[in-house]
Amino acid sequence: MSTQTSAPASRSSLKDITKVFGSGQSNVRQFGILFSLIAIVVLFQILTDGLTLSSGNLINLVSQYSYILILAIGMVLVIIAGHIDLSVGSVAAFTGIVVATAMQQWSLPWPMAFVLGLVVAALIGAWQGWWVAYVGVPAFIVTLAGMLIFRGGNQMIGNANTVPVPGGFTFIGAGYFPEIGPDTGYNNLTLLLGAVLAVAVVVAEWRTRKKQAAMGSAEAPLWVSAVKVIVLAGVVLYATILFAGGRVGTSFPISGVILGVLVLFYSFIAKDTITGRHIYAVGGNKHAAELSGVKSRHIDFLVMMNMSVLAGLAGMIFVARSAASGPQDGLGWELDAIAAVFIGGAAVAGGIGTVAGSIIGGLIMAVLNNGLQLLGVGADRVQVIKGIVLLVAVGLDVWNKTQGRPSVIGFFTKKRKKPRDLLSAKKVPAPEATIAEDAPRPVPAGEQNR
C-alpha cells in the first residue's frame, strides 16, 4: 500500500519543483540562460579572487554596459518581428553629435537638447520604417544604408572632431543617487530602492497566486512561491548592499535606473498588450497574422521607429558618460546588441524572444568582457572568445530545437513516459455508434432497386 502512494507523491514533488521555473518551455528556457549567467559570474568571481562581485566593479559594469542593454531591448522587438537593424550604432552616434552640437554651439539647455535628440532619433526611425514597411525594402538593406548615411552625417556635423558636453548633461550617463538622510555607511536612496524592489517581488508573487485562484487555474504549492520569493528577494537585497556600499560619492548609476524602467515598460508591452501580441504574430507567421486582421505594416513601422528612439537614447547616455561626442562613437554596437538578443534565446527566424532574455544575454556578454579584462586578457582574444560564445550559444539552441529539446534544463525536466507506464495504460473503449431516432434508417441492399 505504501509503495502505491509513494510513486505518485514523488512525481508530484518533481512537477512542483519545475513550477519554481514557471509553467512553460519558454520560462524553463529563460532560467537555463539565467543559470548560464550565474555560472559565468561564479567562475570569474573565483578566477579574479573576488573582484567580479566587488562594489566598484558592479557599479562600473552597469554604467559601462547600460547603453548596450538599452539597444538590446529595441533589437529583440525588431528580431521578433522578423527584421534586423544594422544602423543602431550610427544612429546613436549621429544623435549624440547633434545633441552635443546643440548644447555647445547653439547654447541649447541640456533638457531641451535631450528632447531634441529623441525627436531626431524618432525621425530617423520613421524614415527607415517607411522604407521597410511601406516600400517593402528588406530591413537588412535599409539599415545597412542607414549605417553608412548616419555615420557620415556624424562626421559632417562634428567635422570629425570631438565635441564636449556641459556638466549638467553628464548626470544621465555618469550620475549616481545623491546622499541623503543620516550616515548609515551606505547610500540611503539605494537601500530604499532595494527595499522597494524586494517588496515588489513579494507583491508580484502574491498577485500571481490571487489571479490564479480567481481564474480557477491550478495553483503551485505555497512552498514553491516561498522559494521563488526568498531567492529573488535575496538576490535583490544582496545586490543592494553591494551597490550601496561602494566608495563615497558612488551608488546605483542613474543610467541603471533608466535601464530598469525601460525593462519593466517593454516587458509589459511585449507580454500584456495587444501591440506586443501583434509583434509576435507578425514575426511568427506574417501571412496568417494579416489574415487575422493584424496590420503588419504598422507593426513593422513601429518596431523600426522604436529601435531608432532607443538607439538615440543609448547614444545620449554614452555621450553623457564620456562627457563628449566623437566620430568613433557607436562602432560595433549593433553587433553587441544582436549577440545579446540571440544569446538571450531569440529565434533567428523571428516570432520568439523576450526582453528579459535579451537583458540576461547582454549581461552574459558584459560579464564575460569584464571578467576577461580583469584577468588581463588582450582585446583581440576577448573578441575571439565572445565570437565563440555567440556561435556556441546559437548553435546549441538550434541543435536542441532540431532534437525537440528546448534547452539543457528542459532536457532534464522534460516529462517522459516509462515503458511500464505505457503497458499499464488503460485502453479507452471506442464509443458505440448510436443512431438518432429521427435519422433516416439504412436501406437493405435488396430493397434499394424497388
Side-chain angles (χ1 to χ4, degrees):
M1 184 66 182
S2 59
T3 54
Q4 292 178 353
T5 56
S6 60
S10 62
R11 285 198 296 268
S12 177
S13 300
L14 181 60
K15 186 178 179 181
D16 292 340
I17 291 174
T18 61
K19 289 181 179 177
V20 176
F21 307 109
S23 57
Q25 286 190 351
S26 60
N27 287 328
V28 175
R29 189 176 179 180
Q30 293 296 318
F31 275 92
I33 301 170
L34 181 59
F35 289 150
S36 301
L37 173 62
I38 294 173
I40 293 174
V41 170
V42 171
L43 175 64
F44 281 113
Q45 177 73 359
I46 296 172
L47 295 178
T48 60
D49 295 330
L51 283 178
T52 298
L53 289 181
S54 63
S55 297
N57 189 59
L58 277 184
I59 293 172
N60 181 56
L61 194 67
V62 172
S63 60
Q64 188 175 357
Y65 293 97
S66 57
Y67 58 90
I68 294 295
L69 299 179
I70 290 174
L71 291 177
I73 294 174
M75 189 65 76
V76 71
L77 298 180
V78 172
I79 290 176
I80 289 173
H83 302 293
I84 200 165
D85 193 335
L86 301 178
S87 67
V88 292
S90 298
V91 172
F94 182 80
T95 305
I97 198 67
V98 169
V99 171
T101 303
M103 290 185 288
Q104 183 70 21
Q105 298 184 6
W106 307 338
S107 300
L108 202 66
W110 76 263
M112 294 184 65
F114 182 80
V115 175
L116 173 65
L118 294 179
V119 172
V120 169
L123 291 175
I124 293 173
W127 162 259
Q128 297 193 137
W130 179 76
W131 283 100
V132 173
Y134 297 105
V135 180
V137 180
F140 178 86
I141 302 299
V142 172
T143 55
L144 183 62
M147 180 173 67
L148 301 174
I149 292 171
F150 299 111
R151 175 62 57 190
N154 169 275
Q155 297 177 359
M156 288 173 60
I157 294 177
N159 293 322
N161 294 322
T162 300
V163 179
V165 296
F169 186 73
T170 59
F171 178 74
I172 64 172
Y176 301 97
F177 280 158
E179 299 285 349
I180 62 171
D183 185 9
T184 58
Y186 295 93
N187 182 270
N188 293 329
L189 277 180
T190 304
L191 292 178
L192 179 62
L193 175 65
V196 170
L197 291 177
V199 172
V201 168
V202 178
V203 172
E205 183 61 25
W206 174 75
R207 291 188 62 182
T208 300
R209 293 184 62 86
K210 186 178 179 182
K211 185 177 180 181
Q212 289 175 345
M215 296 180 65
S217 58
E219 288 185 65
L222 186 60
W223 70 267
V224 171
S225 297
V227 169
K228 292 173 65 176
V229 168
I230 290 173
V231 171
L232 293 177
V235 171
V236 169
L237 294 177
Y238 179 68
T240 300
I241 295 298
L242 291 178
F243 280 109
R247 61 182 174 83
V248 177
T250 63
S251 60
F252 194 73
I254 299 300
S255 57
V257 177
I258 297 173
L259 173 64
V261 172
L262 290 176
V263 169
L264 293 176
F265 176 73
Y266 280 97
S267 295
F268 170 75
I269 293 294
K271 292 173 58 179
D272 300 325
T273 65
I274 296 176
T275 301
R277 295 293 95 189
H278 284 183
I279 294 174
Y280 281 97
V282 171
N285 190 326
K286 187 173 184 178
H287 184 63
E290 289 176 344
L291 293 177
S292 302
V294 177
K295 298 179 180 178
S296 61
R297 291 183 175 182
H298 292 181
I299 296 298
D300 292 340
F301 182 85
L302 182 63
V303 295
M304 297 303 295
M305 186 174 177
N306 177 73
M307 180 70 260
S308 291
V309 171
L310 290 179
L313 177 61
M316 288 189 285
I317 289 177
F318 180 80
V319 168
R321 184 174 183 273
S322 307
S325 176
Q328 301 299 318
D329 293 351
L331 286 177
W333 289 8
E334 59 277 352
L335 301 181
D336 287 337
I338 293 170
V341 171
F342 286 132
I343 291 177
V348 179
I352 298 175
T354 61
V355 174
S358 301
I359 295 298
I360 296 173
L363 287 175
I364 289 176
M365 296 293 285
V367 172
L368 192 64
N369 200 43
N370 177 263
L372 292 173
Q373 289 179 353
L374 291 177
L375 292 174
V377 179
D380 50 351
R381 297 183 181 181
V382 170
Q383 295 295 327
V384 172
I385 295 173
K386 288 168 65 177
I388 293 174
V389 170
L390 173 63
L391 185 61
V392 171
V394 177
L396 282 176
D397 183 66
V398 172
W399 184 80
N400 280 327
K401 285 178 181 175
T402 58
Q403 301 298 314
R405 289 173 289 198
S407 65
V408 177
I409 300 298
F411 174 79
F412 291 105
T413 57
K414 184 179 179 181
K415 185 177 180 181
R416 297 180 176 82
K417 288 185 177 181
K418 297 179 180 179
R420 61 181 182 183
D421 295 336
L422 295 174
L423 293 175
S424 61
K426 295 181 178 180
K427 294 182 179 179
V428 180
E432 296 181 357
T434 57
I435 301 176
E437 295 181 354
D438 55 348
R441 295 182 178 181
V443 179
E447 299 179 358
Q448 288 180 354
N449 297 327
R450 293 181 180 178

